[in-house]
Amino acid sequence: MPGVPDPNRRSDATRRAILTAAIDLLGEVGYPKLTIEGIARTAGVGKQTIYRWWASKGSLIFEAFLAFAGDGETAALPDTGDLAADLKLVLRATVDELDDPRYDKAMRAMHVEIVNDHLLAGEYVARLEKPMRELKKERLRAAQRVGQLAEDVELEVAIDMLFGPVLNRWLQRTGPLTHDYVDQVVDTALRGLKPRKP
Amino acid sequence: MPGVPDPNRRSDATRRAILTAAIDLLGEVGYPKLTIEGIARTAGVGKQTIYRWWASKGSLIFEAFLAFAGDGETAALPDTGDLAADLKLVLRATVDELDDPRYDKAMRAMHVEIVNDHLLAGEYVARLEKPMRELKKERLRAAQRVGQLAEDVELEVAIDMLFGPVLNRWLQRTGPLTHDYVDQVVDTALRGLKPRKP
Amino acid sequence: MPGVPDPNRRSDATRRAILTAAIDLLGEVGYPKLTIEGIARTAGVGKQTIYRWWASKGSLIFEAFLAFAGDGETAALPDTGDLAADLKLVLRATVDELDDPRYDKAMRAMHVEIVNDHLLAGEYVARLEKPMRELKKERLRAAQRVGQLAEDVELEVAIDMLFGPVLNRWLQRTGPLTHDYVDQVVDTALRGLKPRKP
Amino acid sequence: MPGVPDPNRRSDATRRAILTAAIDLLGEVGYPKLTIEGIARTAGVGKQTIYRWWASKGSLIFEAFLAFAGDGETAALPDTGDLAADLKLVLRATVDELDDPRYDKAMRAMHVEIVNDHLLAGEYVARLEKPMRELKKERLRAAQRVGQLAEDVELEVAIDMLFGPVLNRWLQRTGPLTHDYVDQVVDTALRGLKPRKP
DNA sequence: CTTTAACCGAGACGGTACGTCCGGTCTTATG
DNA sequence: CATAAGACCGGACGTACCGTCTCGGTTAAAG
């Protein structure tokens, strides 16, 4: 298969230096001023080495984000028996994470790339979003088994309603990302918007 | 006030030509290949004319999107007396709008700019997001008055839960944007995730 | 005529800065290490400005050489009445010129470009070689009129025999370029190789 | 002697493949686009193998030219007793040789390298130019012995006058390289430029 | 008949320069 | 007198080669 470099030959030290440099520069200069040339310079690497292994700036940023955020974060969601409490715990952790400027900038960069790149978006969903969603679904199914979640609720929709608002506020900056806010989201979602008959 | 051009001198024909050219080019070549030079060429305008009136590519795109999407879309949400039906109507319309490639691309471009530009994000919230949110709040308050929405529900949260999921799916491409999906969102949000006691 | 920049718009200060930088760099680093980027840097000029006005490194070097060597060196050859003395004078001057490292390097650079570029070679012949050759021919014709040069000698050949050897020695470094050498060339050429019958 | 490869170990097949590839590529793409990488690829050879045995592109081209032109072309010049005829024969052969595009390109490449590389020029003179010059000198001495060449003519100068013009025309493309031209050069050189007294 | 040192093909690597494109500023000639 | 046209400096793009390096796999002389 000509033109495809042999991954066995790949220098792992160089690969890590590039990913680290990408995250570092994102933190320093921000996404709009992030350049391949700058990453190569910071990593002490030839530009060609970057172009050899990554198809686009997007895929590099994506991989850098994965490496930074911890790729195989496949830890299951907590299950203390109290669904609301567990969801709040997870969402508060997400809020705290987004409070870290480095994490914030890296994730913003990745989202910018995703917005206009179908393929990358697919990869993002497959490698990050889908696995996380599965974990969430698992927790919700457990809640259904113990009668804390209605049997007939569509889990995909439930997840979107619980976890979507945080991401939205963060992306669109429509309001402050606080623990209080996520608590309200969880409570409101569980309870529903309709009045309860007394 | 030196350096601040006199808005009276501004040629409206030229301004509209530039905004139209921006939207057209977005549709043709996509956001990543959208350039000021290209816009100037397409609009039959000198580059300087663009730089004179807009501070950044972002603010140009923002204004172009406003012009394209209809700035003063201040029409109130429908109120047929049936909250669920009205919400579904509005959300289905949003989905349909996002189905138009030109609208899709323009809105994506604007979001990319917002993600990394605090000022622009502020402007977006102030000029688009906030007014729309007020209309939605108004509709929800009406629902509260007629007993279709719980009195103690935080409206901000309710709006995020109802309208956020669509935006999220669209931005992250986590799933297809269908009428069924928004119907489910509305129903689930109104009813809540918890089981109803019999 | 699209794509062809308007020469009227051309900045002459910039043009001269580029040509000067080219000659300077040739003197400093030599032809093999002469780069467009280096010239642009030295001249304080954007690369594009060079690419806008010159089709190749060769044509830039050619023009730089012309500017350096004095384009309109249209002064006639000396005519003191003594052909041999006049030729020696001119050839000695050529030798002295080639002794100047800057002139040497510039002319070598130009010759390297000519060797592999037909078009440039044509331009060189038309703008430098041919005019100089005409002046030489003029002097030789004068010599014919006063009986110092055989009537039936082919002037083109005579010029090649008189002026070629110096250029050859210089290009191929087959021997030292001295005043003695050019004197010998002139004397030998005039007299011929055959023995004189007594 | 560390660092100096053992010439005995050298694969002659590989060496020839490299030299052949160099000449072939010169013919195909021309000197300016001739690259070490291209030669290695064409020869089916690792780049390192080239760098191991040749110090520079110039020395590789030089050796390739030698191999192509026939290194030990130590055959003496013809001596039919008629100096003018013999010289014309040799010069016509040179002209014919330069008419072959492959020979032309190879020799141009070598000359380009020589122009800016003193060491290589020295090697060229020592290995090619000097031996050829000796053969020419030998022929001229023979002519002197039979009274076809003046006793007091400086042979170095005579050779430059006879053989230089052809090389010059070829290098500078100042005129067509024809048999007629070399005939004229020989006749004019032998006879001299001065008028003969009747 | 093994060892072992060098060569060899392949190609990744840190670099430099290429020639192009565009950003943002400044100049000019036209309408 | 504003404005289109576009030259200008700067800098990043993605590509091509440079010359060095490392990697397995021959190959051939030395043990």
Side-chain angles (χ1 to χ4, degrees):
Chain A
M1 210 188 293
V4 175
D6 179 359
N8 299 331
R9 290 274 176 121
R10 185 171 190 173
S11 156
D12 199 57
T14 291
R15 180 181 155 274
R16 271 199 298 268
I18 291 167
L19 297 179
T20 303
I23 295 291
D24 288 353
L25 275 179
L26 259 178
E28 283 169 34
V29 304
Y31 174 78
K33 292 196 174 175
L34 183 72
T35 64
I36 297 282
E37 223 156 62
I39 295 171
R41 207 183 309 121
T42 304
V45 142
K47 278 202 289 180
Q48 195 58 247
T49 303
I50 295 180
Y51 286 109
R52 180 154 37 230
W53 300 109
W54 286 279
S56 67
K57 196 167 85 170
S59 56
L60 169 54
I61 284 175
F62 178 59
E63 198 175 327
F65 177 76
L66 280 185
F68 179 71
D71 195 344
E73 233 180 342
T74 37
L77 264 61
D79 189 346
T80 64
D82 182 345
L83 177 63
D86 290 350
L87 288 172
K88 287 173 185 174
L89 194 73
V90 171
L91 276 168
R92 284 168 173 224
T94 303
V95 165
D96 293 343
E97 220 167 19
L98 291 170
D99 212 42
D100 170 14
R102 287 167 69 86
Y103 190 92
D104 176 276
K105 284 194 175 158
M107 191 150 163
R108 276 184 200 285
M110 195 185 59
H111 268 81
V112 165
E113 295 292 346
I114 280 169
V115 166
N116 281 294
D117 186 337
H118 287 239
L119 272 75
L120 202 63
E123 216 179 331
Y124 163 72
V125 168
R127 301 231 350 230
L128 266 186
E129 215 276 338
K130 205 73 176 289
M132 299 271 282
R133 185 173 285 264
E134 278 312 314
L135 297 177
K136 292 165 188 169
K137 232 185 259 180
E138 208 50 64
R139 180 65 188 84
L140 294 186
R141 276 197 212 100
Q144 281 177 324
R145 281 193 295 270
V146 297
Q148 292 192 349
L149 196 70
E151 294 282 350
D152 58 350
V153 157
E154 182 60 54
L155 294 190
E156 293 288 342
V157 174
I159 290 169
D160 289 347
M161 272 172 49
L162 287 164
F163 294 87
V166 173
L167 212 72
N168 252 302
R169 273 215 169 184
W170 171 74
L171 269 177
Q172 301 203 59
R173 304 180 201 271
T174 42
L177 270 184
T178 62
H179 286 192
D180 273 5
Y181 174 69
V182 302
D183 289 357
Q184 281 186 318
V185 168
V186 171
D187 290 337
T188 310
L190 288 176
R191 174 200 182 291
L193 302 175
K194 273 196 290 200
R196 299 259 164 178
K197 284 137 210 158
Chain B
M1 212 187 292
V4 175
D6 179 359
N8 300 331
R9 286 284 176 92
R10 187 169 189 176
S11 153
D12 200 57
T14 293
R15 179 180 157 276
R16 269 202 297 271
I18 290 167
L19 297 179
T20 304
I23 294 292
D24 287 353
L25 277 180
L26 261 178
E28 282 170 34
V29 304
Y31 173 77
K33 293 197 174 172
L34 182 72
T35 65
I36 297 282
E37 248 168 34
I39 295 171
R41 203 182 316 121
T42 305
V45 143
K47 280 203 288 179
Q48 198 55 250
T49 306
I50 294 180
Y51 286 110
R52 191 165 13 240
W53 300 109
W54 287 277
S56 66
K57 194 168 88 170
S59 55
L60 168 56
I61 284 175
F62 178 61
E63 199 175 325
F65 177 76
L66 281 185
F68 179 71
D71 194 344
E73 226 180 345
T74 37
L77 265 60
D79 189 347
T80 63
D82 181 347
L83 177 62
D86 291 350
L87 288 172
K88 287 174 185 173
L89 195 72
V90 172
L91 276 167
R92 283 168 174 226
T94 304
V95 165
D96 292 344
E97 218 167 19
L98 292 170
D99 213 43
D100 171 15
R102 287 168 69 85
Y103 190 91
D104 176 277
K105 284 195 174 157
M107 190 151 163
R108 278 183 198 285
M110 194 186 60
H111 268 81
V112 165
E113 295 292 346
I114 281 169
V115 166
N116 281 293
D117 187 336
H118 287 241
L119 272 75
L120 202 64
E123 215 178 332
Y124 164 72
V125 169
R127 301 223 359 225
L128 264 187
E129 216 278 337
K130 205 73 175 289
M132 298 272 280
R133 185 174 285 262
E134 277 314 315
L135 297 178
K136 293 166 188 168
K137 233 185 259 181
E138 207 51 64
R139 180 65 188 83
L140 293 187
R141 276 198 212 100
Q144 282 178 323
R145 282 193 295 271
V146 298
Q148 293 193 347
L149 196 70
E151 294 282 349
D152 58 350
V153 156
E154 182 61 54
L155 295 190
E156 294 287 343
V157 174
I159 290 169
D160 289 347
M161 272 171 50
L162 286 164
F163 294 87
V166 173
L167 211 71
N168 251 299
R169 273 216 169 182
W170 172 72
L171 270 176
Q172 300 204 59
R173 304 179 200 270
T174 43
L177 271 183
T178 62
H179 287 189
D180 274 3
Y181 174 71
V182 303
D183 289 356
Q184 280 185 317
V185 167
V186 170
D187 290 336
T188 310
L190 289 177
R191 172 204 183 294
L193 303 174
K194 272 195 291 199
R196 299 263 162 176
K197 280 142 215 156
Chain C
M1 211 188 294
V4 174
D6 178 358
N8 299 331
R9 289 279 177 99
R10 185 171 191 172
S11 156
D12 200 56
T14 292
R15 180 181 155 273
R16 270 199 298 268
I18 291 167
L19 297 179
T20 303
I23 295 292
D24 288 353
L25 276 179
L26 260 178
E28 283 169 34
V29 304
Y31 174 78
K33 293 196 174 174
L34 183 72
T35 64
I36 299 282
E37 225 156 61
I39 295 170
R41 207 184 309 124
T42 304
V45 143
K47 279 202 288 180
Q48 195 59 249
T49 303
I50 296 181
Y51 286 108
R52 178 154 38 229
W53 300 108
W54 286 278
S56 66
K57 195 167 85 169
S59 56
L60 168 55
I61 284 174
F62 178 60
E63 198 175 326
F65 177 77
L66 280 185
F68 178 71
D71 196 343
E73 231 179 343
T74 37
L77 264 58
D79 189 348
T80 63
D82 182 346
L83 176 63
D86 291 349
L87 289 173
K88 288 173 185 175
L89 196 72
V90 170
L91 276 167
R92 284 169 173 223
T94 303
V95 166
D96 293 343
E97 219 168 17
L98 291 170
D99 213 41
D100 170 16
R102 288 168 69 85
Y103 190 91
D104 175 277
K105 285 194 175 157
M107 191 150 164
R108 277 184 199 285
M110 194 186 59
H111 268 81
V112 165
E113 296 292 348
I114 281 168
V115 166
N116 281 295
D117 186 336
H118 288 238
L119 271 75
L120 202 64
E123 215 178 332
Y124 163 72
V125 168
R127 302 229 351 230
L128 266 186
E129 217 276 338
K130 204 72 176 290
M132 299 272 282
R133 185 173 286 263
E134 278 312 316
L135 296 177
K136 293 165 188 169
K137 233 184 259 182
E138 208 50 65
R139 179 64 188 85
L140 293 186
R141 276 196 212 101
Q144 283 178 323
R145 282 193 292 271
V146 299
Q148 292 192 347
L149 196 71
E151 294 281 350
D152 57 350
V153 157
E154 183 60 52
L155 294 189
E156 295 287 341
V157 175
I159 290 170
D160 288 347
M161 272 172 49
L162 286 164
F163 294 86
V166 173
L167 212 71
N168 252 298
R169 273 214 169 185
W170 172 73
L171 270 178
Q172 301 204 58
R173 305 180 200 270
T174 43
L177 270 185
T178 63
H179 287 191
D180 273 5
Y181 174 69
V182 302
D183 288 357
Q184 281 186 317
V185 168
V186 171
D187 289 338
T188 309
L190 288 177
R191 172 199 181 293
L193 302 174
K194 274 196 288 197
R196 299 262 164 177
K197 281 140 212 159
Chain D
M1 211 188 295
V4 174
D6 178 359
N8 299 332
R9 286 282 177 99
R10 186 171 189 174
S11 155
D12 200 55
T14 293
R15 179 180 158 274
R16 269 201 296 269
I18 291 167
L19 297 179
T20 304
I23 295 291
D24 288 353
L25 277 179
L26 260 178
E28 283 170 33
V29 303
Y31 173 76
K33 292 196 174 173
L34 183 71
T35 65
I36 298 282
E37 245 168 39
I39 295 170
R41 205 182 313 123
T42 305
V45 143
K47 281 201 290 178
Q48 197 57 250
T49 304
I50 295 180
Y51 286 110
R52 186 158 26 232
W53 299 108
W54 287 276
S56 66
K57 194 167 87 170
S59 55
L60 168 55
I61 284 175
F62 178 60
E63 198 175 326
F65 177 75
L66 281 185
F68 179 71
D71 194 345
E73 227 179 345
T74 36
L77 264 60
D79 188 346
T80 63
D82 182 347
L83 177 62
D86 291 350
L87 289 172
K88 287 173 184 172
L89 195 73
V90 171
L91 276 167
R92 284 168 172 222
T94 303
V95 165
D96 293 343
E97 220 167 17
L98 291 171
D99 212 42
D100 170 15
R102 289 167 69 85
Y103 190 92
D104 175 278
K105 285 195 175 157
M107 190 150 164
R108 277 183 198 285
M110 196 186 58
H111 267 82
V112 165
E113 296 291 346
I114 281 168
V115 166
N116 281 294
D117 186 338
H118 287 240
L119 272 75
L120 203 64
E123 216 178 331
Y124 164 71
V125 169
R127 300 217 9 218
L128 264 186
E129 214 277 337
K130 205 73 176 290
M132 299 271 281
R133 184 172 286 262
E134 278 313 315
L135 296 178
K136 294 165 187 168
K137 232 184 258 182
E138 207 52 62
R139 180 64 189 84
L140 293 186
R141 276 196 212 100
Q144 282 177 323
R145 281 193 294 272
V146 298
Q148 293 194 348
L149 196 71
E151 293 282 351
D152 58 351
V153 157
E154 183 61 53
L155 294 190
E156 294 287 343
V157 174
I159 290 170
D160 289 347
M161 272 172 48
L162 286 163
F163 294 87
V166 173
L167 212 70
N168 252 302
R169 272 215 168 184
W170 171 73
L171 271 176
Q172 301 204 59
R173 304 179 199 270
T174 42
L177 272 184
T178 62
H179 287 190
D180 273 4
Y181 174 69
V182 302
D183 289 356
Q184 281 185 318
V185 168
V186 170
D187 290 337
T188 310
L190 288 176
R191 173 200 182 291
L193 303 174
K194 273 196 291 200
R196 300 259 162 177
K197 279 139 212 156

